[in-house]
Amino acid sequence: MAEPIESIDVVVIGAGPAGVVAATLLWQKGYRVRVLERQHFPRFSIGESLLPQCMVYLEEAGLADVVNNAGFRYKNGAAFAWGDRYTWFNFEEKFTAGPGTTFQVERARFDKLLTDAAEARGVDIRFGQAITDCVATDTGSRLTARADDGSLTQLDCRFVLDASGFGRVLPRLLDLETPSNFPVRQAFFTHVEDGIAPGAFDRDKILVTVHPQERDIWFWLIPLSDTKCSCGVIVSDEKLAQRRGETPEQLLHELIAEAPVLAKLLANASWPIPVNKLSGYSRNVKQLATDRYALLGNAGEFLDPIFSSGITIAMRSASTAVATLVRQLEGETVDWHADYEQPLRQGVDTFRVFVDAWYEGLFQDIIFFEGQVVSVRDMISSVLAGYAWDRANPFVADPTRRMNALAQFCRPEEAS
């Protein structure tokens, strides 16, 4: 006999940072919420370099103290290297008020920490639950979930928040996918015991290294402890076709060898786990929300990992969606496009301008320019710290014009 169909207020798909923040905020408001997660935690994931604005949303959800006391690697900025050029941004020196420091986190432990804290407060999280169907009902949606043992359960809910990340559950089930306008790129990444001598590397910052000849190829080095780093490279399919390496390990090592500064830093590294590959990660959708569902973070749109914006966008989307949803659940008529999608996309579009400018070389010309104006540098630092929704910042209010004008001023004469 089939199990009875249970009714609750909100189903959250996915127990990553966006899902946990959203579910905890709803639980604080007294709503019946259930999180359904396909995997079991802890599990490996990338997106390990938080931005300071994340701390605002963790504080809102009552989870900041848990993260602050977990012993994660402190982070106060971002450093950039290109050949013999080196520059950095201190996120405490920024235009926008708010936290200026955060953490580099090993996601397996970070995500488990957040789910454990949410469950301890009373949030209902079920692991090993894959969503196989979502259909509209008179009062919301009906979801079907398949457990690890193959059993099926159905839930009726008033609203669905999809925080499934790259799993993109609702975009697949509801045919919401649209092509991204970014070129197809691939990421090759792993964790290394880095063997870097003390003092040779600023472990309080993520290091982004530009390939000496191919400026659209870049590497990340994220310190996770005093001896361990996350290391990866981003390369387009076009450039990848020119490479000799056949396996992810061969390709990552081949590319690192071509970047002398990074190769020197990792000369004594050991590589204990396999190199992972993520391909064609940039995504877009037809719409982010209706009166029945909203897509959070990577489930809706993912740009590029260059500025570590993914978790910030995810947490911002959770906070904004819950604020809108609570109004709807309380009987107000809300406009999900005007109240959720447009405000969220404003910051996403700011990041998009920075991403486009990075791959075009414009932003690299700006950050490596020697005669930087402090006030302008602080405005850029604010965006890099995640404050991409502060319209008082000229680089948020009018990012395209500001970026192009500044790049024209900073660009070397031979490139003009």
Side-chain angles (χ1 to χ4, degrees):
M1 187 173 68
E3 293 185 10
I5 298 173
E6 190 175 354
S7 295
I8 59 174
D9 293 318
V10 182
V11 169
V12 178
I13 305 174
V20 169
V21 167
T24 304
L25 291 172
L26 287 164
W27 173 83
Q28 289 174 348
K29 297 288 186 179
Y31 290 101
R32 295 171 300 158
V33 57
R34 182 171 300 170
V35 182
L36 299 177
E37 166 59 50
R38 178 176 59 86
Q39 296 181 299
H40 292 271
F41 288 13
R43 52 87 174 97
F44 182 87
S45 180
I46 55 172
E48 298 144 319
S49 195
L50 304 185
L51 301 183
Q53 170 122 69
C54 291
M55 305 310 295
V56 174
Y57 309 119
L58 290 170
E59 184 69 40
E60 181 186 8
L63 298 169
D65 285 348
V66 174
V67 175
N68 286 332
N69 297 325
F72 291 117
R73 183 72 212 187
Y74 172 83
K75 174 184 175 183
N76 64 11
F80 299 86
W82 178 30
D84 59 356
R85 305 182 191 188
Y86 180 87
T87 189
W88 72 92
F89 288 84
N90 180 344
F91 291 156
E92 293 182 284
E93 298 170 355
K94 56 182 172 48
F95 176 86
T96 306
T101 64
T102 185
F103 302 97
Q104 322 270 22
V105 298
E106 197 164 351
R107 283 289 301 279
R109 188 162 75 90
F110 178 73
D111 291 6
K112 179 80 165 58
L113 183 80
L114 294 184
T115 57
D116 286 350
E119 286 185 306
R121 286 160 170 75
V123 178
D124 185 356
I125 303 178
R126 312 277 178 102
F127 295 93
Q129 299 287 325
I131 306 300
T132 61
D133 196 24
C134 178
V135 295
T137 66
D138 291 341
T139 57
S141 298
R142 177 170 296 171
L143 281 77
T144 303
R146 177 183 287 113
D148 289 342
D149 63 5
S151 62
L152 299 178
T153 59
Q154 290 186 314
L155 279 173
D156 281 351
C157 63
R158 299 166 66 185
F159 203 84
V160 182
L161 291 171
D162 185 354
S164 59
F166 290 120
R168 301 173 64 79
V169 170
L170 290 189
R172 289 187 293 102
L173 292 177
L174 303 182
D175 190 28
L176 301 174
E177 299 269 15
T178 59
S180 170
N181 59 2
F182 284 126
V184 177
R185 298 187 176 96
Q186 297 194 35
F188 299 91
F189 53 93
T190 188
H191 288 171
V192 302
E193 293 296 330
D194 54 74
I196 300 173
F201 173 43
D202 184 353
R203 289 185 177 271
D204 292 341
K205 297 176 177 64
I206 180 177
L207 174 64
V208 174
T209 303
V210 183
H211 189 282
Q213 288 80 41
E214 308 286 352
R215 294 177 67 185
D216 60 336
I217 298 176
W218 63 274
F219 309 82
W220 75 76
L221 199 62
I222 301 172
L224 300 173
S225 72
D226 288 344
T227 60
K228 184 178 183 179
C229 281
S230 171
C231 176
V233 65
I234 299 294
V235 57
S236 68
D237 276 6
E238 179 185 359
K239 296 291 176 63
L240 198 60
Q242 304 168 15
R243 300 283 146 185
R244 297 185 301 276
E246 296 181 356
T247 68
E249 283 80 8
Q250 290 170 340
L251 287 162
L252 179 57
H253 287 285
E254 176 185 329
L255 287 160
I256 287 174
E258 295 174 7
V261 172
L262 190 60
K264 183 178 179 181
L265 279 175
L266 296 176
N268 298 317
S270 59
W271 307 75
I273 64 174
V275 173
N276 293 274
K277 172 185 172 182
L278 183 61
S279 179
Y281 44 75
S282 297
R283 291 287 189 271
N284 207 341
V285 290
K286 297 172 186 175
Q287 60 187 15
L288 287 178
T290 69
D291 61 357
R292 296 177 187 271
Y293 69 81
L295 309 179
L296 308 183
N298 296 349
E301 184 170 8
F302 183 73
L303 301 175
D304 190 273
I306 176 57
F307 299 120
S308 305
S309 62
I311 295 182
T312 300
I313 293 172
M315 290 186 179
R316 175 80 182 203
S317 69
S319 176
T320 307
V322 167
T324 307
L325 176 56
V326 167
R327 290 169 49 214
Q328 177 173 303
L329 294 176
E330 291 178 350
E332 286 188 44
T333 298
V334 301
D335 182 335
W336 277 92
H337 181 74
D339 297 340
Y340 172 65
E341 182 160 352
Q342 283 185 331
L344 182 64
R345 285 194 184 277
Q346 175 194 325
V348 173
D349 288 345
T350 298
F351 281 123
R352 186 191 306 278
V353 170
F354 275 60
V355 170
D356 284 338
W358 172 268
Y359 284 106
E360 292 168 8
L362 304 181
F363 189 66
Q364 296 177 36
D365 290 336
I366 289 170
I367 63 174
F368 290 114
F369 182 68
E370 293 183 355
Q372 297 178 9
V373 176
V374 172
S375 60
V376 174
R377 182 179 173 85
D378 289 352
M379 295 173 191
I380 293 172
S381 182
S382 282
V383 176
L384 297 182
Y387 296 92
W389 289 267
D390 177 16
R391 289 189 60 81
N393 184 344
F395 279 85
V396 174
D398 193 1
T400 300
R401 185 176 69 84
R402 291 282 179 169
M403 184 72 72
N404 289 338
L406 185 57
Q408 185 66 31
F409 177 77
C410 297
R411 174 152 275 199
E413 291 184 8
E414 62 269 20
S416 301

